[in-house]
Amino acid sequence: MPRKYPIEKYRNIGIIAHIDAGKTTVSERILYYTGVSHKMGETHTGESQMDWMAQERERGITICSAATTCFWSPENYLTKEKTNEHRINLIDTPGHIDFTAEVQRSLRVLDGAVVVFDGVSGVEAQSETVWRQADKYLVPRLCFINKLDRVGASFEHAVSSIYEKLTKNAVPIQLPLGEEAEMEGIIDLIQMKAFKFEGENGNDVKEIEIPEDYRARAESARLGMLDKIAAEDEVLMEKYLGGEELAISDIKKALRKAVIAYKLVPVLCGTALKNKGVQLLLDAVVYYLPSPIDVPAVEGIDPKDETKVLVRHASDDEPFAALAFKIAADPYVGTLTYLRVYSGKFEKGNYLINTNTKEKERLGRIIRMHANQREEVDEIFAGDICATVGLKNTTTGNTLCDENNPIILEQISFPEPVINIKIEPKTKNDQEKMGNALRRLQEEDPTFRVSTDQETGETIIGGMGELHLDIIVDRMKREFGVEANVGRPQVSYKEAIESNAEAEYKYVKQSGGRGQYGHVKIRIEPIERGKGFEFVDEIKGGVIPREYIPAVEKGIKEAMGKGVVAGYNLIDVKATLYDGSFHEVDSSEIAFKIAGAQALIEAAKKANPHILEPIMKVEVVIPEKFLGDVIGDLSSRRGQIDQTEDRTGMKVIYAKVPLSEMFGYVTSLRSLTEGRGTSTMEFSSYEKVPNNVAQEIIEGKRK
Ligand code: GDP
C-alpha cells in the first residue's frame, strides 16, 4: 500500500510553554480548527467537537494524547477548498519542569515546535529552561504570544522579553490588531493584510485592508522584518537593496530556510481563548516548520560495533528504524507504546528487533490517534508517529528496527531522582493494587523510581521534585483507584570520594569442611560527576581466575549501594582490580564477592569520602519592596544568590539553594511577600555538603 501523504507534507511538532501560558487552550483550538477544516461542510461537527473537548477538560482528561494526528491546508479558511493538505502530528510536551526527562524525550522526536507565551508576563522561568533544551536538540521553532486580550497584555513587551532573555534572532511577522479588550485580529506583515475572526468560535476569517491608524506601525515593523529575513538570503538581499518589490512567496521561502537552519524564529500572536490567530499559526506551522526530510538524518550506533556511527535518512527506502518515546496506560486498549518512525516502512503483524534488549517484538496492532477517535493502520512509513499495542519488552528510549539492519538510536540518559517519599497503602485492598499501579507509572516515566527500604521493608518512591511525586500519588488515586499515605519528602543524598586510594582484602575461612578463600587488591579513584561506576580488570596471568572477576565487580557495586559515611549510595567511582590470589579448592564466587565488597569499603574510607546533596536552581519573582527580606531568607537557607534583575515592575532573584532547605518554600515565600511572590526550581547538580550539615545528616540517620 503506498503512503497517503508525501513525507514533505508532514509536520511533527510540539507545543512548549510555561505552565498557564495557554498550551492546552492552543492545542484544543488547533484540534478544533483542523477538525472543522477536515470535515468542511458538516458544520455541526465543529461545534460538537468543541463541546466534546470542553467536557473532556471538565472531567480533567487531557485532550492531547502523547501524539495526535490532524490535517491542515493553509489558507483553506478563506478559499474553503481542501487542497495541499498537510498532516500535522501534535506531540504532547509536559508543562512542568519537574518532568525534564519527558520534555527532553518529546523534544527529541519532534521536528519543530511552537513556543507559547503569556502576553502579559512574556518570557517566564520555565519557558527559558525549555527554550535552552530546544536549543540543545536543535529544534526549529515559532513563537506564539498568546492572551493578548488580557488586561496588561503587550505584544511589544513580550517581544522585547524574547530578545532579552531568549534570542536576538526573533522576528515578528505579525502585529496584533488592537490589544487587551480591543484585540480584534491580526496584521500579517508578510502579506500586509489584516485578518478578523468572526462567527462562531472565530471560524469565519475575514481578510481586510490594514486600518489607517495601524498602517505606519505595520510598515515600519515590516521593514524591520525584511531586514532580518533578507540578511539570511543573498538573492533576496540583492533585490531588497535594489529597492525591488519582494514577492510574498520569496519572503516565505527565505524565512522557511532560515527557520529550519535555526537562524530566525518568527513571532506570531493572538488569543487562543478568544479564537483569534490560531488558523494563521497553523499556516505558519506548514510554511516555516520543517518536514522530516528537512531536518538532519538521525544517527545511531551499530550494535555489533559500538564505535561505528550509522545514519538513517527519512526515506521509505531505508531500513526501518523507530524510537519508542512514550509508554502510556490506556483505559481501553492497555499499554500503548508511541513510536517515531525515522526511516523505512513496516507492515503490521511482522517482527522487529529491539536493539536495546535484543528481543524480537511483534507489532500486532498499529494505531493513529486523532482528536476524538483512533484509527487502525496497516502500515507505517518514514516520518510517522503512531502508537502500538501489546509490546512486551520495550521501554521508553528503546529502538525498534529491521532485524537485518540493526541500529541503536542514541539513548537518552535520565537524571537520578533527588527526592524520596515513603508510601503506604491505606487499606489491605489498596496494597494489592498499589504495586501494580507503581509498576505501570514507572514504565511510563523513567525519572520516577520505586524501591524498598532494606531495613524497614517500606516502599519508597523517588522523583525529580515534590510536585512530581504529588502528581504521581494523585494519578495513582485517580487512574488506579489506590489510596495511599505518604511520608515527609526526604532528600536523596549520595556519597562520593575525593582522592585515590588502594585496599587489599583477604577473605579466608577454614573451619572444617570446605573453606572460603577470596583475595583482592583494588584501586579506586573519583570520576566525573554523573558517570556512576566504572570497573577495570587489570588481572594478568590468571592470579584470579576469569570466572571470579564478575563476582568481585558485583561485590564492589553492592558495597557502593550502602556507602561508607552515612549509608547513602556511593557514586562516581572507578575501581580497578589489579591483583589478588586464589585457592584451588576453597575459592568461590561468594568469597570473591565478599572480598570485593570489603576492599571497596576499606578503600573508600581512605579516599576522603563525603556526602553530596542536590542543589536546585531557584528563580523567585517578587515585588521590589520584599527584595531584602527574600534574599535574607534565601541566604539563611544556605542559598547563593547568582543574580537579580527587573522584569515588568517585579524583581527576579536567581539563586542556587540546597533542596533540603527548600521544603515548604512556596508557603513561606507567600507569607514573606503578602502572597505576591512566586518561585520555580529545578535540579542543578550534586554538591558536597558542608561539614556541620554532614554531621547533622549522619546523626539524623543514626536516630
Ligand atoms: P497551560 O497550563 O499552558 O496548558 O494553559 P491553559 O491552556 O490551561 O490556560 C491557562 C489559563 O489561561 C486558562 O484559564 C485559560 O482559559 C486561560 N487562557 C488561555 N488562553 C487564553 C487567552 O488567549 N486569553 C485569556 N484571557 N486567557 C487564556
Side-chain angles (χ1 to χ4, degrees), residues 74-90:
E75 295 175 38
N76 164 247
Y77 44 83
L78 293 175
T79 59
K80 311 281 183 206
E81 283 165 24
K82 200 156 64 188
T83 52
N84 196 22
E85 208 172 20
H86 288 70
R87 171 181 277 166
I88 298 175
N89 289 313
L90 202 58

Side-chain angles (χ1 to χ4, degrees), residues 17-26 57 116 144 146-150 270-275:
H18 187 282
I19 209 152
D20 239 27
K23 193 182 90 176
T24 314
T25 314
V26 172
R57 192 163 200 190
V116 179
F144 182 72
N146 187 34
K147 299 200 187 183
L148 285 177
D149 61 308
R150 277 184 64 195
T271 151
L273 188 68
K274 300 285 165 62
N275 304 313

